[in-house]
Amino acid sequence: MSASDHTFAPIKEVFCSVQGEGPYVGTRQAFVRFSGCNLSCNYCDTDFANPGTCDYEQVEGSGSFEKSPNPVSTEELEAMLQPFEKLHSVSLTGGEPLLHANFIEKLNLSSPLYLESNMTLPEHARKLSGKVTYVSGDFKLPEAIRSICPETREAHVENTIECFRLLRKNSSRDCFCKIVINRDTKSETVNLAVEAIAAYVSCVILQPETPIGSEVRNTKFTQASVQNILKLQKNLLEMIDTRIIPQTHRMWGCL
Ligand SMILES: C[S@@+](CC[C@H](N)C(=O)[O-])C[C@H]1O[C@@H](n2cnc3c(N)ncnc32)[C@H](O)[C@@H]1O
Ligand SMILES: Nc1nc2[nH]cc(C(=O)O)c2c(=O)[nH]1
Ligand code: SF4
Ligand SMILES: [Mg+2]
């Protein structure tokens, strides 16, 4: 096989852990974190820069990493994931995994694929409709992507709704929506977002923002009050199963 027969992607890390967010919290997963993102969310907790090498955990759960040159081929990634046993699914995250839809399309894995996405790239999402079994779609409210111009923000919202439609729940795929909630979150934008995608998802998760950086010392600065989050949930329960679930992996320090 020549090099041109391979498909490659820049991957930051590959490791075994448990899902820390949403309705599948606690399920055992391999995580594949792709580099690069098309957004820059205010609250993002992840370094998704493209490193020269991919860190991969040779022994599941060991927290000890080997390095492999980037970009990684589909065959190399399949080999990295081979030792991980008893997986519920393989989480494709990032950065933004939809940027690497061509690579994901070619992956040949025995575990179901769990896509963790910002849902703003419908042309890429379309390619994965028959490929992913779980879709964890994060709806980025306009407040979360303040730094971009209003026209682009509006386009992102339209694209998000289209991604949820393309990857909606069906008899062989679950699709749910997460929304990160902080002090600036407006109930009107949450309601509009959920109204637009409620028919496509099995539930909505309100995910309180976990403080990052200097905010850790002053959580009141960014966090929404308990009362406000409960109020948001009550409104949404008129429409759809709505749960409040914080990021649990951050509580016990797993990856
Ligand atoms: C790092 S993103 C990568 C996947 C994709 N780009 C996305 O945004 O869903 C994975 C998840 O982390 C969540 N997240 C990032 N920073 C967070 C924070 N400070 N508090 C709560 N959730 C956060 C995102 O909302 C998203 O659900
Ligand atoms: N344990 C764990 N659960 C997660 N769920 C979504 C994550 C992500 O960064 O996409 C993540 C993560 O980084 N770790
Ligand atoms: S879309 Fe995901 S990875 Fe990209 S900046 Fe937002 S939270 Fe971070
Ligand atoms: Mg994370």
Side-chain angles (χ1 to χ4, degrees), residues 66-85:
E66 301 292 321
K67 289 194 183 300
S68 182
N70 254 327
V72 172
S73 70
T74 48
E75 291 80 3
E76 284 164 339
L77 178 61
E78 286 155 13
M80 285 180 204
L81 294 170
Q82 181 79 45
F84 297 171
E85 291 177 340

Side-chain angles (χ1 to χ4, degrees), residues 80-218:
M80 285 180 204
L81 294 170
Q82 181 79 45
F84 297 171
E85 291 177 340
K86 307 267 187 221
L87 298 179
H88 168 273
S89 48
V90 174
S91 165
L92 305 171
T93 184
E96 180 45 48
L98 282 183
L99 290 171
H100 310 285
N102 289 339
F103 178 92
I104 294 169
E105 230 183 337
K106 300 256 163 59
L107 274 180
N108 185 9
L109 296 174
S110 52
S111 300
L113 299 183
Y114 178 113
L115 176 72
E116 189 84 55
S117 172
N118 66 30
M119 305 295 261
T120 55
L121 299 163
E123 290 320 312
H124 299 236
R126 196 184 298 279
K127 296 181 186 166
L128 298 186
S129 174
K131 188 80 185 176
V132 293
T133 306
Y134 302 94
V135 178
S136 169
D138 210 51
F139 202 127
K140 307 299 181 184
L141 300 176
E143 302 94 295
I145 43 176
R146 268 197 303 261
S147 56
I148 51 184
C149 72
E151 293 76 26
T152 313
R153 274 205 306 262
E154 268 171 43
H156 280 320
V157 171
E158 289 309 310
N159 285 335
T160 299
I161 297 166
E162 179 60 2
C163 281
F164 274 104
R165 194 186 68 78
L166 290 164
L167 297 177
R168 63 190 174 274
K169 63 172 180 176
N170 63 23
S171 56
S172 48
R173 176 176 60 224
D174 191 15
C175 175
F176 59 91
C177 173
K178 291 184 298 180
I179 305 180
V180 176
I181 305 296
N182 68 16
R183 211 188 52 165
D184 299 330
T185 307
K186 305 209 175 11
S187 61
E188 305 78 59
T189 54
V190 175
N191 290 341
L192 283 173
V194 173
E195 266 166 33
I197 52 92
Y200 307 139
V201 298
S202 56
C203 64
V204 169
I205 309 299
L206 301 180
Q207 184 161 294
E209 179 179 314
T210 310
I212 52 168
S214 59
E215 293 155 4
V216 173
R217 285 189 293 281
N218 188 4

Side-chain angles (χ1 to χ4, degrees), residues 21 31 33 45-46 93-94 247 249-250 255:
E21 302 177 7
F31 286 80
R33 190 176 305 285
D45 64 2
T46 303
T93 184
Q247 288 182 299
H249 53 298
R250 309 282 298 274
L255 288 169

